[in-house]
Amino acid sequence: MRLSLCSACPMLLFVLLDTSARNIYFNVNVFVDVILSVRRQYTAAPVIFTHPGDQYGDYGDLQITHLIHESSRLLSRHYIMTADMHFKMLRTSLRYYRQVVHPIIVVILPDFEAYLDFAEATKTYPMSFPVWFMLFLYTPDNGTHDYCHEPVSNPLNLAFDTQMLVLCNNDSVLREWYSVNGETVKIFDLAEWGDDENKFIALTNLSLYERRKDMEGVVLRAVTVKDTSVMTKFAGNYVASMYGKILEELTYSLNFTLKIVSQMSEHGLWDEQNQAWSGVMGEIVAGRADFAIADMSMTSFRVRFVDFTLPLIISRNTLYFKEPGICGVKWLGYFQLCEKNKLAFYTTEVFKEAINIYIRCSIVYIETGRIDNLAMTLTKGNPYTGFMNYHLRKLHLNGVIHKLKNKYYIRSNYPREVTYYGLVELSDVTPTLTMVAAKQKET
């Protein structure tokens, strides 16, 4: 069955079944088609069914047993692995967290007690990890609150990047559940299950982050490096201007604010003995800050501990030193390159350009063959990382970031006083070293 829902379908789908109404007709074939469509759209892997079970550890209901077994049988025809587990065993699925493609977890809620059990199981569960499909199989009694249509607070620990579809009992509308601030649940009518053809009809053509385009004034705790703030509203120094402009655009467009809670003296180093980070990295990893207002280099080691946005600057790492044989002006300052003949400065091209006005001598440089990617940093698994990357990508596509690079960083040519010696490899200097070694041996 072809589903027009696919481009807009979220990754969590909750199903509540009314076991008291034995005449409910549930088309398992259509249900499996939905799972397959969501799986293709989000490149999900296995399908996991979860349910409350009973005191003996069984399914506890014949309808639930039939739904899971029949769905698993049909999915096996497509070579899809399936599993089922009780709510209390849900955490066992985390053994594959960040190691496999998103699984699809189908949540079956036969009654209100099951809803409460599932809420308890999700208190410490990373709800942005799987693709959820949740079914409410019951209708609230008279005088009982309808938690499916009107959830209270945020009982399921939903986040901004949680992707969840909820189908209420005796209802044809699929609703998307997520939370902006972690305190309340936002509901969006995403699609409708057609009665005539048993298919989903999309109620919107907006993408995920076009539907969720407002952070509603969320305050992120920020840490920065002393004297190198990239936020122009707080400081307007050096190459930080581009970062500051992009941050101002993001905070305005996405509607969030940054509150500086600490200032560190360095970006951060890893202490092997204590197994801990210092500086800005230490504040982010420890959870004392959500966002780093600093031009952080992306490394494979740092990625294990924090989230990075898309790179804002990609620049070559270069080794600069005073041109041999030329007497530069002796000066004092934080850039000592021109003062000492045997001193080299290893940095990126963009940072060299940022401090070019302080250089009072002719310099040369050698390419190292390394590339540095500079990006913004957030806590690991931050729910807003994907949202920020989505809008940064838009800024790339519409030319805003390219324009800022031209304005603040990029130079069409290097200054005349900079001489380029090119990339030097060991094989290039081997003959010279051999001759020098032979000469030393003769003397």
Side-chain angles (χ1 to χ4, degrees), residues 151-172:
V152 178
S153 66
N154 184 16
L156 302 181
N157 190 33
L158 306 183
F160 188 79
D161 58 345
T162 296
Q163 299 185 83
M164 173 183 290
L165 280 182
V166 177
L167 182 61
C168 299
N169 188 49
N170 295 326
D171 198 347
S172 62

Side-chain angles (χ1 to χ4, degrees), residues 15-20 52-53 60-61 64 87 108-118 135-139:
V15 180
L16 279 76
L17 304 177
D18 189 350
T19 55
S20 62
D61 184 89
I64 296 178
F87 293 158
I108 302 174
L109 304 177
D111 50 42
F112 181 66
E113 287 70 23
Y115 176 78
L116 295 178
D117 290 343
F118 182 66
L135 301 174
F136 277 82
L137 302 183
Y138 70 94
T139 301

Side-chain angles (χ1 to χ4, degrees), residues 413-426:
N413 296 293
Y414 284 92
R416 294 181 179 178
E417 67 269 16
V418 180
T419 303
Y420 169 49
Y421 280 103
L423 181 64
V424 178
E425 297 183 356
L426 182 61

Side-chain angles (χ1 to χ4, degrees), residues 47-257:
V47 176
I48 301 174
F49 296 94
T50 184
H51 51 86
D54 59 15
Q55 57 181 334
Y56 305 106
D58 296 324
Y59 295 102
D61 184 89
L62 185 59
Q63 283 190 327
I64 296 178
T65 304
H66 172 74
L67 174 63
I68 294 176
H69 284 190
E70 186 64 17
S71 298
S72 299
R73 184 182 66 83
L74 294 176
L75 289 170
S76 67
R77 296 178 178 178
H78 298 272
Y79 306 100
I80 297 174
M81 294 180 60
T82 61
D84 68 87
M85 59 184 61
H86 305 152
F87 293 158
K88 294 181 180 180
M89 300 296 295
L90 190 59
R91 291 197 61 83
T92 60
S93 65
L94 292 179
R95 71 181 66 178
Y96 307 111
Y97 186 42
R98 293 175 180 165
Q99 299 182 23
V100 299
V101 180
H102 297 293
I104 300 176
I105 297 185
V106 180
V107 182
I108 302 174
L109 304 177
D111 50 42
F112 181 66
E113 287 70 23
Y115 176 78
L116 295 178
D117 290 343
F118 182 66
E120 182 67 24
T122 59
K123 283 185 176 180
T124 58
Y125 195 90
M127 296 300 287
S128 301
F129 166 52
V131 177
W132 298 90
F133 184 8
M134 185 162 106
L135 301 174
F136 277 82
L137 302 183
Y138 70 94
T139 301
D141 298 330
N142 293 333
T144 304
H145 186 79
D146 187 353
Y147 286 91
C148 185
H149 292 92
E150 299 177 356
V152 178
S153 66
N154 184 16
L156 302 181
N157 190 33
L158 306 183
F160 188 79
D161 58 345
T162 296
Q163 299 185 83
M164 173 183 290
L165 280 182
V166 177
L167 182 61
C168 299
N169 188 49
N170 295 326
D171 198 347
S172 62
V173 177
L174 281 167
R175 295 177 174 87
E176 184 178 47
W177 281 18
Y178 66 99
S179 179
V180 175
N181 55 16
E183 298 178 357
T184 58
V185 174
K186 303 285 289 187
I187 298 179
F188 186 87
D189 291 350
L190 190 65
E192 185 175 7
W193 195 331
D195 294 333
D196 297 333
E197 301 180 12
N198 279 331
K199 70 176 182 179
F200 289 111
I201 302 173
L203 301 178
T204 179
N205 58 1
L206 296 176
S207 63
L208 176 65
Y209 289 126
E210 289 297 330
R211 301 193 300 272
R212 307 178 188 184
K213 58 183 179 180
D214 189 351
M215 290 174 61
E216 299 181 357
V218 166
V219 178
L220 299 181
R221 300 166 301 164
V223 56
T224 185
V225 180
K226 293 180 180 179
D227 301 324
T228 58
S229 173
V230 301
M231 199 67 175
T232 55
K233 65 174 64 178
F234 300 113
N237 52 0
Y238 103 173
V239 17
S241 298
M242 175 183 168
Y243 273 70
K245 290 296 183 181
I246 294 177
L247 267 182
E248 289 180 3
E249 175 63 28
L250 286 179
T251 55
Y252 174 78
S253 300
L254 310 187
N255 188 18
F256 72 95
T257 59

